Amino acid sequence: EAVVHASFLQIYNERLTDLLSGSDAQGLAIREHRPAGPRGRPEVFVSGLSEYRVSGPGDVAALIGAGVRARRERCTEMNDVSSRSHAVLQLSVEVTKRNEDYSVIKRAKLSLVDLAGSEKWPRSSSLGKEHASELTNINSSLSALGNVMSALGDRGRTHVPYRDSKLTRLLQDSLGGNTRTAVICCVDPSSDAAEETRSTLKFADRAGRVRVTVRPNEVVDDKVLLARAQSEIARLRTLLKVYM
């Protein structure tokens, strides 16, 4: 039995907005849940974010279409239509395996992130207050993301600055948690975009240096834990007999 839920939000000027709520209501906040047990890792979630149960690709595509229409956009020097926000689509998957004696629940989360492109301050024209705020926040959050990637790729670092931006805080699980992460970079082969291309490739190189260890997210009942413990005891007793 598998259940999938989808959510879609944007980060615009360091504010979180639900792209599927049908309103521009603010007030979404990033929270942290700490599971019980020594092996439990903190889980980051967004309080107040709407979730929709989906049954197939068509449902997800419909939600993406609705969310994209609500994103913040602007005409820039590089593009006629440029997204001014980071968008995060998350699919939460829960698979339950049952038999006569016990059940095992496995959970996974897929995050698809569309980052707003960095933008240089134009030299030929002045920016309005709103546009300047967008540019400042986009570049600042992308810089914070690069710093997090650098820290994760440096095994000597003990502190990772996830809290420097809403983007890195929200993606804390995806970047340094129990996850696999893929980064797709878009570059322009023209000489006019050489500086942006170089910066993008440097970011990709930093992302490629990050190493994580992945294990299944399981929720099991006491019967399963007892059976595993008994199996481990039997294995250790066998080894003990061999060496005695």
Side-chain angles (χ1 to χ4, degrees), residues 140-157:
S140 176
S141 62
L142 291 176
S143 177
L145 179 59
N147 292 337
V148 166
M149 290 293 192
S150 295
L152 290 171
D154 184 356
R155 296 186 178 182
R157 290 280 294 271

Side-chain angles (χ1 to χ4, degrees), residues 38-190:
R39 299 183 63 188
R41 295 187 179 185
E43 299 175 2
V44 175
F45 68 98
V46 178
S47 176
L49 182 65
S50 63
E51 287 189 334
Y52 293 83
R53 183 167 178 172
V54 293
S55 58
D59 293 345
V60 178
L63 293 177
I64 292 175
V68 166
R69 289 191 292 271
R71 284 189 70 180
R72 293 284 190 142
E73 297 177 340
R74 181 185 296 277
C75 175
T76 66
E77 291 186 349
M78 297 293 292
N79 300 291
D80 291 336
V81 179
S82 177
S83 58
R84 299 289 82 197
S85 67
H86 307 303
V88 181
L89 173 72
Q90 289 190 330
L91 300 177
S92 300
V93 184
E94 185 173 288
V95 179
T96 305
K97 182 180 179 181
R98 309 179 192 275
N99 65 21
E100 295 180 357
D101 298 323
Y102 63 86
S103 63
V104 177
I105 301 174
K106 292 186 177 182
R107 295 193 177 104
K109 181 170 63 177
L110 173 65
S111 298
L112 301 175
V113 185
D114 179 29
L115 299 176
S118 61
E119 183 182 353
K120 294 186 295 185
W121 287 91
R123 299 178 181 177
S124 58
S125 60
S126 59
L127 295 178
K129 183 177 180 180
E130 184 179 31
H131 192 179
S133 178
E134 290 174 354
L135 191 153
T136 300
N137 281 288
I138 289 172
N139 290 347
S140 176
S141 62
L142 291 176
S143 177
L145 179 59
N147 292 337
V148 166
M149 290 293 192
S150 295
L152 290 171
D154 184 356
R155 296 186 178 182
R157 290 280 294 271
T158 57
H159 172 69
V160 181
Y162 290 117
R163 296 178 182 270
D164 284 358
S165 75
K166 294 288 181 62
L167 176 66
T168 51
R169 179 63 171 144
L170 180 62
L171 298 181
Q172 180 173 339
D173 293 342
S174 300
L175 297 173
N178 186 36
T179 60
R180 290 187 175 95
T181 302
V183 178
I184 301 174
C185 296
C186 300
V187 298
D188 190 331
S190 67

Side-chain angles (χ1 to χ4, degrees), residues 195-239:
E195 183 178 342
E196 288 81 0
T197 296
R198 179 174 177 271
S199 176
T200 299
L201 293 177
K202 286 178 64 178
F203 171 78
D205 179 68
R206 282 183 285 182
R209 298 174 186 270
V210 178
R211 296 290 182 267
V212 295
T213 302
V214 181
R215 59 179 175 81
N217 294 314
E218 289 186 342
V219 179
V220 297
D221 58 26
D222 292 340
K223 292 181 180 180
V224 177
L225 296 176
L226 179 60
R228 290 179 178 176
Q230 290 174 339
S231 176
E232 179 66 10
I233 291 171
R235 186 185 70 85
L236 294 174
R237 282 177 175 171
T238 301
L239 289 175

